[in-house]
Amino acid sequence: LYRVTLPRCSEVGKFLCFTGTVIRASMVKMLECERIYVCGKCGHSVLVKADFEQYNLLAKPTSCPFETGMNGERCGSAKFAALEDPDRAPKCRDYQELKVQEQIQRLAVGTIPRSMPLVLEDDLVDVCKAGDDVTIAGVVMMRWRPCSVGTRCDLETGIRVNHVRVNNLQRSNVNLTDDMRRDFFRFWRDHARHPLSARNHI
């Protein structure tokens, strides 16, 4: 589960945790994560969610899956239009991308550090900046651009992050001296029989 090197393509779909250094952080954006399309033939609505593996593409449905009439036949129409409802606000979420590099001091001598893009969503955005040492937990996933005839597929391995911990902030904000440590243990030792009263005193 935990590692000091970035995952590889063979580990797609696995939940991993690793430590690295942020070398680039994008601006926080608003990402539309859902959109409703309406069939031009039968009028049914189809909810489409952003596809992470296609760079959050909100693609139109290829055919209408709903049944029309009593004989159970599918509509099958390929004509769709995005629903425009002034009373319904679009569903969006905060979105940010980072690039994290392996820490040189943790690698073997002569090894070139690799880098990998990370995707942060919702309350995880804007918690770190370039230069921070972070511990990341997330799922390794593949992303690709739309394919076209005669061109190579553009594939990219990335991580959809579930948790971020900034390690350098912990080191800078916590500065305990020996006297403070002794006072802390002495206080709780003296109030061992009444911990709630000690908490209220603090």
Side-chain angles (χ1 to χ4, degrees):
L1 178 64
Y2 180 77
R3 58 184 56 220
V4 296
T5 59
L6 292 173
R8 299 186 179 273
C9 297
S10 58
E11 295 170 308
V12 170
K14 294 183 179 180
F15 184 86
L16 299 174
C17 179
F18 69 94
T19 300
T21 302
V22 180
I23 58 175
R24 188 169 70 236
S26 70
M27 298 291 292
V28 178
K29 304 175 182 178
M30 290 294 292
L31 173 69
E32 185 180 5
C33 56
E34 289 185 1
R35 185 180 297 168
I36 295 178
Y37 287 96
V38 180
C39 176
K41 182 178 179 181
C42 66
H44 281 95
S45 300
V46 179
L47 177 63
V48 176
K49 295 186 178 182
D51 188 355
F52 176 85
E53 296 184 342
Q54 296 190 62
Y55 290 85
N56 298 298
L57 178 66
L58 287 165
K60 287 185 180 181
T62 55
S63 63
C64 182
F66 293 96
E67 297 179 355
T68 58
M70 299 297 294
N71 53 5
E73 294 182 357
R74 290 180 55 190
C75 172
S77 174
K79 295 182 179 180
F80 288 89
L83 177 64
E84 297 181 1
D85 186 357
D87 298 329
R88 181 183 182 274
K91 189 171 183 179
C92 301
R93 60 174 34 167
D94 293 329
Y95 179 90
Q96 185 183 26
E97 290 199 16
L98 307 177
K99 180 161 281 191
V100 170
Q101 180 177 273
E102 296 171 333
Q103 294 180 322
I104 300 177
Q105 64 270 24
R106 293 174 177 261
L107 302 177
V109 177
T111 304
I112 299 176
R114 297 180 297 126
S115 61
M116 179 173 288
L118 309 178
V119 174
L120 307 176
E121 297 172 328
D122 300 325
D123 58 339
L124 296 178
V125 303
D126 209 20
V127 298
C128 57
K129 60 185 183 301
D132 287 344
D133 293 330
V134 293
T135 299
I136 299 292
V139 180
V140 184
M141 303 185 71
M142 298 290 293
R143 300 192 297 178
W144 63 88
R145 301 286 184 184
C147 300
S148 58
V149 178
T151 60
R152 294 182 59 184
C153 294
D154 185 7
L155 292 173
E156 181 182 57
T157 305
I159 295 180
R160 195 170 192 177
V161 179
N162 292 75
H163 174 73
V164 181
R165 185 179 66 196
V166 182
N167 300 323
N168 54 320
L169 286 180
Q170 293 179 352
R171 291 197 300 268
S172 61
N173 292 340
V174 180
N175 185 18
L176 290 177
T177 63
D178 292 338
D179 291 338
M180 294 171 62
R181 193 184 303 274
R182 282 193 296 268
D183 291 342
F184 176 84
F185 285 111
R186 185 185 304 115
F187 177 85
W188 285 109
R189 185 177 63 250
D190 296 342
H191 297 82
R193 293 178 177 270
H194 306 285
L196 295 181
S197 299
R199 182 203 63 182
N200 294 337
H201 178 72
I202 294 174

